[in-house]
Amino acid sequence: GGPPPAWRTAVRTAAFGWVDLLAARRYDALAERCGWAAERLVEAMAPYWAEYDHIVTDGDARSAAQFELREEPGRWVVTQRITDPAGDGEWRFEARVDLEAAAVDGAPTLVLDTLGRFADGS
């Protein structure tokens, strides 16, 4: 049993799609996918845009090194690092996939939990 392997790829693709939307500041489009209101996304990202002028979306930014999927009972927890032009690497978002809901839907859906600087400053 367990989730189909293709789901991991789908989740990673979705997470990077979110990065693309953040990079383009397409908050309305992201709000439709992530479960947060556009205003909340704008607020969460304001400190980033105060410091950096863009989000890097090249091959390195899309690499597996920037993405982490942790398996927990009944859910996956996803961490996607956001690549800034200075290489500080302080920003990320965390999202979760409810595996029971995914089984019903036939596909995994990411729900945004946190967006911002690493809480521990590392």
Side-chain angles (χ1 to χ4, degrees):
W7 282 12
R8 289 177 176 272
T9 309
V11 166
R12 191 174 152 196
T13 301
F16 212 85
W18 288 12
V19 174
D20 281 336
L21 291 172
L22 286 171
R25 307 193 198 201
R26 292 184 54 205
Y27 299 117
D28 290 337
L30 180 54
E32 288 171 16
R33 300 185 195 182
C34 77
W36 283 24
E39 294 76 24
R40 189 176 173 196
L41 293 166
V42 170
E43 280 176 29
M45 287 302 292
Y48 181 93
W49 295 121
E51 194 167 345
Y52 309 108
D53 63 358
H54 68 285
I55 289 173
V56 180
T57 57
D58 63 8
D60 288 341
R62 291 172 188 273
S63 74
Q66 305 301 323
F67 175 87
E68 183 191 328
L69 189 153
R70 208 165 65 241
E71 296 187 43
E72 294 184 358
R75 68 176 192 167
W76 286 345
V77 178
V78 168
T79 304
Q80 173 70 55
R81 291 173 191 84
I82 295 171
T83 307
D84 61 84
D88 297 331
E90 292 178 353
W91 281 72
R92 69 176 177 190
F93 62 74
E94 280 196 353
R96 63 184 164 353
V97 176
D98 179 329
L99 294 176
E100 199 173 311
V104 172
D105 295 340
T109 301
L110 278 175
V111 178
L112 186 59
D113 278 331
T114 62
L115 169 62
R117 288 183 194 275
F118 281 51
D120 61 1
S122 66

